[in-house]
Amino acid sequence: MKHLTALFLSMCLLGLGNGLGTSLLGIRSTIEGFSELEAGLALSGFYVGFLAGSRLVGNLLANVGHIRVFAGLAALISAVILAHSLLLIPPVWFILRLAAGFCMSGIYITADSWLNNQVNNHNRGRILGIYMMMGMGGAAAGQLLIGFADPGGFTLFILASMVFSFSLVPLSLTRIDPPEIPPRKKADIRAVYGAAPLAIVGAAAAGFTQGAVLTMGPVYGTEVGLTSSEVGWMMSALMLGSVAMIPLGRLSDRIPRRRVILAVTIGAIGLCLIMSIGPVDPALLAGVMLAYGALIFPVYALAMSHMNDLLERSQFVPGMAALVTFMALGAIAGPVMISAMMTLLGPDGMWMSLAVVHSLFAVYIVNRFLRRPHIPLALQRVFVPITMRSSARVAYLIRGSRKRKKNRQGGGHPPVVQPRRVHWE
């Protein structure tokens, strides 16, 4: 457990630095006079780098090793966040955000591999939940650091850089055996979509909405007149809403998972419509963001669990790789499209656009109900609370068995419904 404590602390510090950096750059882009579209394009580079890292870091781990990769990427992102304050040009920021996304993706892949080497079947679910919550908790706390100093100066950039550097310390000073590097399995998107189309579309929708609000939320808050501290509280409330992932996940173990996804999507539509027409009060906005985070953050985990319900265990890793790809593509598109709508419609364009995206996703879910009316509960595995930042290697941590429910009439087990088999190339 000592090794895991070091890993948890490192990931919490990385979440702290990333949370601070993301909101800081959104606010600073407004201070520097970037247009909404310039900010959206520049900041979307993070997810371009994240997608690139998910495909390339595996080879780096094989050639260099986990400790060197983790240390090198953490040091690089520490320098990159400082460079943003020196090069206040949108195209340069895109390149810097791309580098930051690559670093964070590589760090998460490395950490996920380490975690897989330390858990067993008895503590797997509990430890994975703690691991995810430490990262999200650090990101929520990082938002509050925005009020520590003027975002128009250098102090917050230095603070973010220091936090990234400190994240190196726990793992560097802990004796931990490097994990084995599992073989990389290519995503077969067509096969995954054929077996679980809602999972692919849900991953893209989750990436779009989360990427958009995490990137453009600070820009929106600044444009409607919030102070830096109020923006920090707003974004922290959004991140804290992610704790709803666990109760919603447990609910989805008891009722058809697609119903839970549809319910949270309809709730998100309602919140977006209210905010697109209502006045902006800081306390009200923080409350809305808390509720909105509770609705959008579980969608990716619910989509992943829905996919795993319909795939065999041997297909988890390539299936997860497909979800990571579509999540990243959605997250790239989100800030760009939302920033364009904010340019046309003003700050409220963010909420209007998000309402449209949620509505389209809800229509798609209903269409899936019509095409596949019923998915037996016997197919469902136990929900796993993962976040959008997870790499495909998290699939190695998922060993949930299919549920067995007693037959109410005979007291025995119902016949097991076999999942649809997917043939990978």
Side-chain angles (χ1 to χ4, degrees):
M1 191 65 184
K2 176 183 176 181
H3 297 165
L4 290 176
T5 301
L7 177 61
F8 292 158
L9 182 55
S10 288
M11 298 313 294
C12 183
L13 289 170
L14 283 165
L16 190 72
N18 194 43
L20 170 59
T22 300
S23 291
L24 172 59
L25 293 175
I27 297 173
R28 186 60 178 264
S29 69
T30 304
I31 294 173
E32 296 299 328
F34 294 4
S35 68
E36 290 92 343
L37 186 57
E38 286 176 331
L41 286 168
L43 300 178
S44 68
F46 180 89
Y47 299 103
V48 177
F50 195 95
L51 179 58
S54 69
R55 295 178 174 273
L56 300 176
V57 170
N59 294 330
L60 193 61
L61 286 173
N63 295 327
V64 180
H66 286 71
I67 294 177
R68 289 186 179 91
V69 170
F70 187 95
L73 294 178
L76 179 58
I77 196 172
S78 178
V80 165
I81 194 67
L82 286 175
H84 285 83
S85 64
L86 302 175
L87 303 166
L88 302 169
I89 306 169
V92 176
W93 271 29
F94 176 85
I95 297 173
L96 293 173
R97 293 308 290 157
L98 188 152
F102 183 91
C103 291
M104 292 303 294
S105 177
I107 288 169
Y108 292 141
I109 290 172
T110 306
D112 292 345
S113 299
W114 254 322
L115 188 69
N116 183 50
N117 202 47
Q118 298 294 321
V119 301
N120 55 52
N121 290 332
H122 299 291
N123 61 14
R124 192 178 303 275
R126 177 174 60 88
I127 287 178
L128 184 58
I130 295 172
Y131 171 67
M132 295 298 173
M133 289 302 106
M134 287 293 286
M136 296 296 286
Q143 313 290 340
L144 300 179
L145 295 178
I146 290 291
F148 181 76
D150 178 15
F154 295 101
T155 303
L156 291 178
F157 288 95
I158 296 172
L159 180 60
S161 177
M162 290 173 60
V163 173
F164 281 127
S165 297
F166 285 145
S167 70
L168 279 165
V169 177
L171 281 179
S172 298
L173 298 182
T174 300
R175 184 178 180 84
I176 182 170
D177 296 327
E180 296 181 3
I181 301 175
R184 184 175 181 269
K185 297 184 179 181
K186 183 179 179 181
D188 189 334
I189 294 170
R190 181 179 298 179
V192 176
Y193 187 81
L198 180 59
I200 291 290
V201 177
F208 187 102
T209 54
Q210 291 185 41
V213 74
L214 287 171
T215 300
M216 299 306 296
V219 177
Y220 165 83
T222 303
E223 290 190 352
V224 298
L226 299 184
T227 65
S228 297
S229 295
E230 289 170 340
V231 171
W233 280 103
M234 177 189 80
M235 297 305 296
S236 180
L238 175 76
M239 301 299 295
L240 289 174
S242 65
V243 299
M245 187 184 305
I246 294 177
L248 284 174
R250 290 177 177 172
L251 178 64
S252 75
D253 285 338
R254 291 170 172 78
I255 65 177
R257 227 179 287 280
R258 294 183 303 175
R259 294 184 186 178
V260 179
I261 299 175
L262 179 60
V264 298
T265 302
I266 292 173
I269 295 170
L271 285 178
C272 291
L273 291 176
I274 290 172
M275 289 307 301
S276 66
I277 60 176
V280 178
D281 175 78
L284 173 64
L285 185 56
V288 169
M289 293 297 267
L290 178 67
Y292 190 63
L295 295 172
I296 66 169
F297 280 109
V299 171
Y300 184 68
L302 290 168
M304 185 277 296
S305 294
H306 172 69
M307 177 191 72
N308 288 345
D309 293 341
L310 300 174
L311 299 184
E312 296 177 352
R313 291 184 185 180
S314 62
Q315 300 159 352
F316 283 5
V317 179
M320 190 70 184
L323 287 199
V324 169
T325 298
F326 271 81
M327 174 277 295
L329 291 174
I332 293 168
V336 176
M337 295 181 66
I338 294 298
S339 63
M341 295 305 295
M342 290 174 69
T343 301
L344 293 174
L345 304 174
D348 289 338
M350 183 181 82
W351 294 109
M352 296 177 188
S353 303
L354 289 171
V356 171
V357 172
H358 288 305
S359 298
L360 292 174
F361 183 41
V363 170
Y364 184 83
I365 298 171
V366 173
N367 179 62
R368 290 309 308 165
F369 273 115
L370 297 176
R371 288 176 175 270
R372 184 186 285 174
H374 178 62
I375 297 176
L377 285 177
L379 284 179
Q380 291 191 183
R381 290 184 166 89
V382 176
F383 173 84
V384 179
I386 68 166
T387 61
M388 198 176 75
R389 66 169 179 78
S390 304
S391 72
R393 298 195 177 201
V394 164
Y396 288 104
L397 297 169
I398 301 170
R399 299 292 187 270
S401 301
R402 297 195 184 281
K403 297 185 293 182
R404 298 288 185 269
K405 293 191 175 183
K406 291 185 178 181
N407 189 315
R408 292 182 181 178
Q409 296 179 352
H413 294 298
V416 177
V417 182
Q418 294 299 324
R420 176 174 179 172
R421 292 182 179 272
V422 180
H423 300 286
W424 304 97
E425 297 179 354

